[in-house]
Amino acid sequence: DKLFSGFSKTRDNLAVIDELLLYWNLSETDRVLDELEEILLVSDFGPRITIKIVESLREDILAGKLKSGSEIKDALKRSVLDLLTKKGNKTDLQLGFRKPAVVLIVGVNGGGKTTSLGKLAYRLKNDGAKILMAAGDTFRAAASDQLEIWAERTGCDIVVAKEEKAKASSVLSQAVKRGKEEGFDVVLCDTSGRLHTNYGLMEELIACKKAVGKVVPGAPNEILLVLDGNTGLNMLPQAREFNEVVGITGLILTKLDGSARGGCVVSVVDELGIPVKFVGVGEGVEDLQPFDAEAFVNAVFS
Ligand code: GDP
C-alpha cells in the first residue's frame, strides 16, 4: 500500500516505542513515559499534542486501566485516532445543493496544488460529475500550462486567463459563470502558490473567495489547503495563517508516498479543528485517496 510506504522516518522513530513498552512495568512508568515523550517530539507531534497524549496515558496507567505494554500502545494509537477524528468533522467533500459547487485549492508553491486538483477532478469525474477547471494561478506563467495538461489527461474542460497578468479573481469569476451557464457540477479552482507570509497574495485570495461568491451564493463550498507531507512542524503556522485569512474547510496532505512526517498532521487537525479530506500518494491520476484516519494511524504506528 502506497500510504504504508510513506512515513518511514516517523515509523523508524516510533518503532522504539514497541521495545520501550515491551519492558514496561508499573514502577518504570515515569521513565517510560519520559522516553515516549521524547519520541513523539522528534516525530513532530509538537509539544501540545505530546503532553496531551502522555498525560492521558499516565492517568490511565495510574488508574489501573492499562496493565501491559500492548495495552499502552493500543491506547496511544486510540488517542491519536481520536485527535484525528474530531466529532462533527466531515471528511467527505461538502458540495452543497447549488450548481456549480465551487472548490478553491490553496497552499504554498510546490506543495502539490495543481496535481491534487487534477487528481480530484479525475475522482469526481469518475463519480459522474461534470467538472470545470479554472486556472487561477495567474502569477506563475507555467501554472496554467500545467493545469491544461491535467485537463487533457482527465478529459475535463478548463478556463484559463485570456490576457497576460489577468487578475486571478476575474478568471475564477468567469469560470464559475461559465460553470453556471453550462451546467457543470463542480468548478475546481487553482490559485497561485504563495508564501503564507506574503500579504499581497493573501489579499488576492480573499478577492478570489469574494468573486466566486458573487456568482453563486454560498460559494466557495470548500477551501482546501494543500500541505506537503514533508513540511514538518512548519505545517502548523502555514495552516494557521491560511485559515485566519480565508477559512480553510479541509486539508489535502500530499507526498505521503515519500518520507513524509506524520506527527505534525495531528497538531494541525487538533489545533485548527480542520479535517484532512484527501491524501496524495503519488503523481498519477489515481493517486488521491479519501483520508482514512485508521489506516493513517496504522501506517504511522505499525
Ligand atoms: P503546486 O505548485 O502547489 O501547484 O504544486 P504541483 O502540483 O506543481 O506539485 C509540485 C511537485 O510535487 C510536482 O512535481 C508533483 O508531481 C509533485 N507531487 C504532487 N503531489 C504529489 C504526491 O502526492 N506524491 C508525489 N510523489 N509527488 C507529488
Side-chain angles (χ1 to χ4, degrees), residues 108-116 119 140 146 254-257 280-283:
V108 303
N109 253 336
K113 273 187 309 299
T114 309
T115 309
S116 299
K119 292 188 280 189
R140 198 165 53 99
Q146 199 192 335
T254 62
K255 310 185 192 182
L256 297 194
D257 50 315
V281 292
E283 300 178 88

Side-chain angles (χ1 to χ4, degrees), residues 5-215:
S5 72
F7 302 128
S8 52
K9 243 183 260 164
T10 307
R11 205 161 46 237
D12 287 349
N13 288 338
L14 295 178
V16 184
I17 292 176
D18 285 334
E19 210 173 307
L20 186 64
L21 292 180
L22 192 65
Y23 300 108
W24 171 84
N25 63 58
L26 197 55
S27 66
E28 289 210 79
T29 298
D30 285 340
R31 183 187 65 81
V32 167
L33 289 182
D34 281 351
E35 276 188 50
L36 179 61
E37 192 173 301
E38 279 297 303
I39 295 167
L40 292 176
L41 285 174
V42 297
S43 306
D44 280 346
F45 279 81
R48 218 174 81 105
I49 296 285
T50 298
I51 290 169
K52 215 169 176 173
I53 292 174
V54 169
E55 288 320 308
S56 103
L57 288 177
R58 192 187 311 274
E59 214 169 276
D60 287 350
I61 291 170
L62 295 180
K65 287 184 199 157
L66 304 173
K67 296 187 200 68
S68 68
S70 73
E71 282 182 12
I72 296 173
K73 172 93 184 274
D74 286 345
L76 170 64
K77 284 170 75 170
R78 220 177 313 116
S79 62
V80 174
L81 187 63
D82 286 347
L83 289 167
L84 280 172
T85 51
K86 283 243 170 69
K87 262 193 292 197
N89 260 356
K90 299 215 165 66
T91 56
D92 50 339
L93 279 184
Q94 303 296 307
L95 297 178
F97 56 90
R98 280 197 191 91
K99 276 190 191 176
V102 180
V103 178
L104 288 191
I105 310 279
V106 306
V108 303
N109 253 336
K113 273 187 309 299
T114 309
T115 309
S116 299
L117 192 157
K119 292 188 280 189
L120 185 57
Y122 178 80
R123 269 196 89 80
L124 295 173
K125 197 181 174 217
N126 273 356
D127 289 344
K130 194 178 166 194
I131 305 297
L132 182 61
M133 295 181 177
D137 184 354
T138 53
F139 196 70
R140 198 165 53 99
S144 50
D145 298 345
Q146 199 192 335
L147 196 63
E148 277 185 293
I149 294 170
W150 276 101
E152 226 162 86
R153 196 177 282 164
T154 55
C156 292
D157 286 299
I158 181 169
V159 171
V160 297
K162 291 196 188 76
E163 72 274 15
E164 233 179 284
K165 297 222 175 98
K167 273 193 3 208
S169 53
S170 73
V171 176
L172 298 189
S173 161
Q174 276 166 34
V176 177
K177 272 181 198 143
R178 181 176 158 201
K180 198 171 158 184
E181 284 158 14
E182 298 181 19
F184 282 88
D185 296 303
V186 187
V187 182
L188 296 178
C189 305
D190 202 6
T191 61
S192 47
R194 58 205 76 225
L195 282 174
H196 59 95
T197 46
N198 186 327
Y199 188 69
L201 284 173
M202 281 302 204
E203 286 278 283
E204 184 195 79
L205 207 51
I206 297 171
C208 288
K209 185 180 173 182
K210 277 192 192 142
V212 299
K214 273 193 189 148
V215 185

